[in-house]
Amino acid sequence: MKDFEGKVAFITGGASGAGFGQAKVFSEAGCKVVIADIRQDHLDDAMSFFKDKNVHIHPIKLDITDRSAYAAAADEVEKVFGEPPQLLFNTAGVNTFGPAEASTYSDFDWVIGVCLGGVINGMVTFVPRMIKAGKGGHIATVSSWGGFMGGATTAPYSAAKAAVNNLMESYNLSLRPYNIGVTVLCPMNIRSNIGEAVYTRPEHLADTGYNVSEKTISHLRSIHAQGMDPIELAGWLKRGIEDDQLYVIPYADSKQMLEDNFKRVIDLATPGGVTRQEAKSKNKARPYQANDIGYGLAKTELNWVDESHRAKPTEELK
Ligand SMILES: NC(=O)c1ccc[n+]([C@@H]2O[C@H](COP(=O)([O-])OP(=O)(O)OC[C@H]3O[C@@H](n4cnc5c(N)ncnc54)[C@H](O)[C@@H]3O)[C@@H](O)[C@H]2O)c1
């Protein structure tokens, strides 16, 4: 797709971070944009940003894991704009960190429910409507570079993102006859509010095996403050959609990154590969841990987790 003028774009997570960047870039390109988000405060802030801009933005409060609410949101789009979107951005996502073996069912259900289930709900809700409208279109899903590999402290997230990559490959093969393109965006660090994703974690899925505190949240905020500007990221995505690319790895050395990663996979598929890859890792601690603030650790009650690098004073982990 090269011409965005007048097209309806539905962006989940559109009120913050990567999604907000997409809302800015694609409304600027002429789209009528729906920003759908679970957080009313994010929607309010985003709408006040767009108030004086000469662009068409429609907010919808939506939890993408709620299928009937998703169908109602799709009905609302058709009522407001007279047609379903031609552009769907599955952007909303959440994250939380801790050792894979400490993960609870709720850790999996929440993260996979939003990051994979939310994408599935977007596809099942909108794909038939887009096909019936007969105008073609494009679907972009925000995955992660983490979808290409496992992570010692990111199991639910990495699994969800790997599944999303695969799912989008399937939809890409399936949707081409309908003139609907598919793109998966796989960034590393984005300047966003994902560090505070746990604020949207539902009460019935609150049981976690990880150490999560205001200290770990503030540590994550400082990491994401260093991330890629969402406008720049949306620019990479827009070029990827224009060029009909299935994968967009938004870095100049993306080819080398992928080659290195697939060399790693090939090595792991040969005898001794696990030991060789382990030796390559300079830090023997689990990657992405910051022990002084307890980030990436199991909650202290899980004393069976072999956490030789765990911060010593349990006080710090509270
Ligand atoms: N921040 C990063 O470093 C990074 C890296 C790679 C991939 N990603 C992915 O980028 C996407 C966007 O995240 P971001 O970093 O911009 O974070 P963000 O928190 O700034 O934005 C995500 C938005 O999604 C909303 N959201 C969360 N759960 C929702 C739900 N159930 N229903 C509807 N909306 C919901 C949040 O309220 C928030 O406004 C996610 O899919 C994330 O996994 C982020």
Side-chain angles (χ1 to χ4, degrees), residues 16 18 37 42 62-64 91 157 161 188 190 192-193 224:
S16 174
D37 205 291
H42 282 181
L62 172 68
D63 176 353
I64 56 168
T91 302
Y157 186 77
K161 295 300 188 180
M188 292 202 272
I190 308 170
S192 79
N193 295 307
H224 292 297

Side-chain angles (χ1 to χ4, degrees), residues 1 10 27 51 54 113 187 192 229 271-272 277 280:
M1 180 185 287
F10 188 96
S27 62
K51 195 160 59 107
N54 192 21
S192 79
D229 185 318
Q277 290 299 318
K280 271 192 179 175

Side-chain angles (χ1 to χ4, degrees), residues 12-19 36-39 42 62-65 90-95 110 114-115 142-145 157 161 185-197 200 224 233:
T12 72
S16 174
D37 205 291
I38 198 171
R39 276 182 65 163
H42 282 181
L62 172 68
D63 176 353
I64 56 168
T65 66
N90 294 304
T91 302
V94 293
N95 206 347
W110 177 49
V114 177
C115 292
V142 181
S143 177
S144 168
W145 177 247
Y157 186 77
K161 295 300 188 180
L185 178 65
C186 303
M188 292 202 272
N189 194 6
I190 308 170
R191 196 178 311 154
S192 79
N193 295 307
I194 201 165
E196 57 180 58
T200 63
H224 292 297
L233 184 63

Side-chain angles (χ1 to χ4, degrees), residues 125-140:
T125 303
F126 279 121
V127 165
R129 293 176 192 242
M130 290 171 76
I131 291 173
K132 285 180 205 163
K135 290 184 170 182
H138 205 99
I139 297 171

Side-chain angles (χ1 to χ4, degrees), residues 195-272:
E196 57 180 58
V198 288
Y199 293 163
T200 63
R201 187 168 176 151
E203 199 51 47
H204 73 282
L205 297 176
D207 173 41
T208 183
Y210 310 150
N211 175 60
V212 177
S213 67
E214 283 306 319
K215 278 187 184 175
T216 63
I217 291 168
S218 118
H219 176 71
L220 277 169
R221 280 201 188 102
S222 67
I223 291 176
H224 292 297
Q226 312 298 318
M228 184 183 281
D229 185 318
I231 301 264
E232 184 189 347
L233 184 63
W236 279 94
L237 179 57
K238 183 164 171 284
R239 289 189 295 280
I241 293 173
E242 286 163 348
D243 295 342
D244 197 20
Q245 262 177 246
L246 175 57
Y247 284 105
V248 174
I249 320 290
Y251 305 98
D253 59 346
S254 60
K255 189 166 177 280
Q256 187 63 52
M257 288 164 65
L258 285 166
E259 280 174 6
D260 290 347
N261 187 52
F262 284 104
K263 275 186 199 147
R264 179 188 66 87
V265 175
I266 291 164
D267 194 30
L268 289 171
T270 55

Side-chain angles (χ1 to χ4, degrees), residues 8 32 74-85 133 135:
V8 178
K32 295 177 267 187
D75 289 343
E76 183 174 330
V77 173
E78 292 189 25
K79 202 165 152 217
V80 171
F81 296 105
E83 58 180 353
K135 290 184 170 182

